[in-house]
Amino acid sequence: MRKFSLFNKRSLTALTLSVAMVLGVTGCGKDGETTANSGKEGNASDVVYVADYLDVKDVGDIVNLKEIDGVLHMLTANYGEESTQYKLVNYNLADASSTETILATANGGYLSSSFFNEDGSLETIESKEEYDDEWNLLSREVYMNKYDATGGLLSSEEASAKLKLDEEYYISHFYKDSEGNYLIGSWEQPLKIYSPDLVQTGEITSNNPIDGLCMTGSGKLVTSYWGNMGVDIAVVDVAAKKVGTPISTNKSSGSTQVWPGPGDTVLYVNGNELCSCDVVTGEIKVVMDVMDMDINADYLQRVYPMGDGSYLMSFYDYGADTDGLFIAKPADPSTIKERTELTIATVYANQDLNDAVINFNRNNEEYRIKVIDYSTDDWDWEASITNLQNDIVAGNVPDMIDMSSLNIPWRNWAAKGIITDLYPLMEADATFSKEELLENVREAYEVDGSLYVLPSTIGISGVWVKEKFAEGSTALTPAMLLEMEKELPEDVQLFYYSYQGEVMYNMVYNNMTAYVNYETGECNFNSDEFKEVLAYAKEQPVDIVWEEGESLPALLKEDKVIFYNMNMHQMPDYQFHKFVFGEDITVLGYAGEDEDGIRIIPNGCAIAITEQCEHKDIAWQFAKTFVSEEYLTGHLVWGIPVTQAGLDNFIYEAQHMEGTHGYGWDDVNIEIESATDEDVEGFLAILEKADELQYQDTAIMAIIEEEVKPYFEGQKSVDEVADIIQSRVDIYLKENM
């Protein structure tokens, strides 16, 4: 690896939003083949949507909104360091005229909750709080304010005493039902019911916290919260003072946010899709793929159904620091300009990938990229990879694949000619040379001199240890760990946890190359060393034994725990753990003899292009986005850049931090300052040793886990189990290499 040179070439490109952005038609990477935007199985839609942007300047955070007779009534907030400015914005959809009124809080507090009435008038909860120097709450006053449709203050009443609220009760939910009753809630607290004149008439408790709350178009009050398997919703029966039977939304990540939908439905985002759930029938439908309108679904703040089948959406783009408001309007697919589509397969699409796809689609009139996410609702990684693999075997090969998951078998796909060598594409590109990539990164991803995967940023996976315990060691082999275990004092452990599963992970699963030669396809699980590891693991507790005592940082510092598994993604990771250990540290890897074993792990995106892709030059232009100087010097990039220019900027930023950054772990809290030259040298010494890619061989792990169980339970001998594992893994390697 070359020495870094100090320079700062940070350049940020502001995101420019067109006034009207049109959806491209989907296809399969071939000219002229088009299909309409569609949802998941059984929910195909013949409707496509176009995004019509509203010319509302500096809309800010839309706190609440309601459409009445063609006029959007919006309560917005612009947050400053000292105070928040609220505005009432009325936007006429017919002629695009608008009025803005600065909404003065009646008592100098902030608006914690609000709702619009049918006539456009606004009711808010204003909270006025006092804190001491350590931000302990001293007092809270709660006011109920009423404004007319133009923002004029009609009334303000201090309501804490009338509502019978203590000072700790923070109002997060504020609604009025069709009978005029007020519903007031505070997240995990019971939902309180008040008459129109604020007399409490009851409360609603639930086995699950009332996290979110909204009212459907038909007037049904619905709560949303995290259930056992993801986000659940349930109808709140105000008259009966109870929460109904939960309905699963099939949403397993993100927030619990739901918005009022038309009729008996609520709306929510699941991955890249806007979905609706009927709270009466439980039916779930995919309304649209938000990315088809070149919008990152993660940035949506509010979704509001219009009477004509359109959806009003507000968003905030964190990367570009821009916000906006648009209407997703249904359109006839035949009116949409056709573009050739390329597909990219991924498992749990990340924000960086989505942003890059959106940016490409916004700036290309001939081609567009469609993300195909193979993730499952229950976060089953193995099932996701299997589904992708099955599609490939069936001939449904995407144009590109995001290889950022550790257990994607890309080397197997490379050997079978499914993914293409990227070096010829680089050689044909006058603006990019393979030498721009860090040499150790190229080595980690190369197979027989070819490069099949292009990562954006990486992390380093290794075992942190004080230098005095690692003298003369290049890697943690099973033999070394076993020998150290025999010599340890009784009150000292190799690792923080010592149970069967942890031993197997540290000595076998993380150390797979000690038993498997992936170049020759040979394995040695019937060796004396492997049997000794199994014997040692058997002596350990079956499960974790939790004991109260000193924190892990304290045990590492006092030499009571020797090794600590950790991934390093940023310079402060190195600085902080150097402080925790209290003296010079080094990082070792799991490996066989004469290897460093420090592994590279993909941190951001890692793009491969398939042989079946008919437009490899276009796919390369997209993949190259992730190693561009603009991308790798961006202020939101996480991880270690894979190019020399990116690494130079990474080091420069680490040595020129603005202020300090707090880092904490259990009972250790410090402020990280700019990295010293010594920090940089230590960091780079670790990075330079990492030239092998981390790979979780889940197939072999599954074989071992299945076969060792009878030995751990005393039903088979170690020789029998080792021979069975050797035989099964040998067969597996012959069939898959």
Side-chain angles (χ1 to χ4, degrees), residues 655-677:
Q655 292 200 293
H656 296 80
M657 286 171 46
E658 294 183 6
T660 60
H661 296 263
Y663 256 63
W665 180 18
D666 287 346
D667 52 357
V668 178
N669 293 280
I670 66 170
E671 293 294 322
I672 297 291
E673 300 178 343
S674 292
T676 65
D677 289 344

Side-chain angles (χ1 to χ4, degrees), residues 3 33 52-53 65 80 104 170 172 256 329 334 344 349 365-366 381 464 489 536 569 605 634 657 722:
K3 293 288 186 179
E33 292 189 8
D52 184 10
Y53 284 82
L65 61 85
Y170 174 84
S172 56
T256 61
K329 294 183 175 181
S334 65
I344 182 165
E365 296 183 355
E366 231 183 305
W381 287 85
W464 297 60
Y536 170 60
H569 302 277
C605 297
M657 286 171 46

Side-chain angles (χ1 to χ4, degrees), residues 410-574:
W410 65 266
R411 292 182 188 275
N412 191 312
W413 294 343
K416 294 180 178 179
I418 294 170
I419 54 179
T420 196
D421 183 5
L422 299 177
Y423 281 153
L425 295 171
M426 293 181 189
E427 292 169 3
D429 187 343
T431 67
F432 189 86
S433 167
K434 71 177 185 180
E435 281 71 28
E436 295 183 39
L437 297 172
L438 299 176
E439 185 178 353
N440 62 324
V441 174
R442 294 206 314 269
E443 289 178 1
Y445 279 93
E446 278 183 349
V447 177
D448 297 329
S450 296
L451 186 72
Y452 294 95
V453 179
L454 184 69
S456 59
T457 57
I458 60 169
I460 302 300
S461 177
V463 185
W464 297 60
V465 60
K466 292 182 179 180
E467 285 189 353
K468 65 186 181 185
F469 292 120
E471 292 179 4
S473 300
T474 59
L476 290 185
T477 64
M480 172 188 171
L481 289 169
L482 288 168
E483 189 62 32
M484 287 187 68
E485 172 64 28
K486 295 174 184 176
E487 299 175 358
L488 286 180
E490 191 173 334
D491 62 342
V492 177
Q493 297 182 164
L494 288 179
F495 295 89
Y496 186 45
Y497 300 117
S498 182
Y499 67 103
Q500 289 178 358
E502 184 74 3
V503 171
M504 293 301 291
Y505 263 93
N506 291 329
M507 294 195 183
V508 181
Y509 305 143
N510 285 335
N511 223 333
M512 199 67 79
T513 56
Y515 303 103
V516 179
N517 186 323
Y518 286 96
E519 293 183 5
T520 64
E522 298 174 329
C523 58
N524 61 328
F525 287 104
N526 55 356
S527 65
D528 291 340
E529 181 183 275
F530 181 67
K531 295 174 185 178
E532 193 174 351
V533 168
L534 294 186
Y536 170 60
K538 185 180 180 181
E539 295 173 0
Q540 309 309 311
V542 175
D543 298 309
I544 297 176
V545 178
W546 296 101
E547 295 180 356
E548 292 292 332
E550 291 184 275
S551 68
L552 177 53
L555 294 172
L556 290 168
K557 192 166 190 173
E558 297 169 5
D559 297 345
K560 296 296 180 64
V561 172
I562 307 301
F563 298 112
Y564 174 56
N565 290 307
M566 191 195 128
N567 297 334
M568 181 172 66
H569 302 277
Q570 297 287 312
M571 179 67 72
D573 292 338
Y574 177 81

Side-chain angles (χ1 to χ4, degrees), residues 29-150:
K30 297 179 176 63
D31 296 320
E33 292 189 8
T34 61
T35 59
N37 170 43
S38 62
K40 294 181 180 179
E41 286 185 44
N43 289 320
S45 170
D46 58 358
V47 178
V48 296
Y49 291 84
V50 295
D52 184 10
Y53 284 82
L54 305 185
D55 190 16
V56 183
K57 304 297 183 185
D58 300 320
V59 64
D61 182 12
I62 297 180
V63 178
N64 218 324
L65 61 85
K66 189 176 185 67
E67 186 263 334
I68 304 171
D69 297 329
V71 175
L72 288 180
H73 298 261
M74 296 179 285
L75 173 63
T76 71
N78 282 286
Y79 303 105
E81 292 185 6
E82 299 296 329
S83 62
T84 301
Q85 184 185 71
Y86 297 97
K87 288 182 182 178
L88 190 65
V89 180
N90 293 333
Y91 183 91
N92 191 307
L93 293 167
D95 60 13
S97 63
S98 64
T99 61
E100 292 185 1
T101 303
I102 294 177
L103 198 69
T105 56
N107 305 279
Y110 64 93
L111 305 182
S112 66
S113 300
S114 63
F115 65 83
F116 282 101
N117 291 304
E118 293 301 322
D119 61 355
S121 61
L122 177 69
E123 298 190 40
T124 70
I125 293 291
E126 179 183 347
S127 185
K128 187 176 181 180
E129 300 162 354
E130 234 188 296
Y131 296 87
D132 63 18
D133 292 339
E134 296 181 353
W135 288 101
N136 297 307
L137 180 67
L138 299 176
S139 65
R140 174 182 285 132
E141 297 173 353
V142 174
Y143 297 86
M144 294 183 70
N145 301 335
K146 296 183 179 181
Y147 301 86
D148 64 26
T150 65

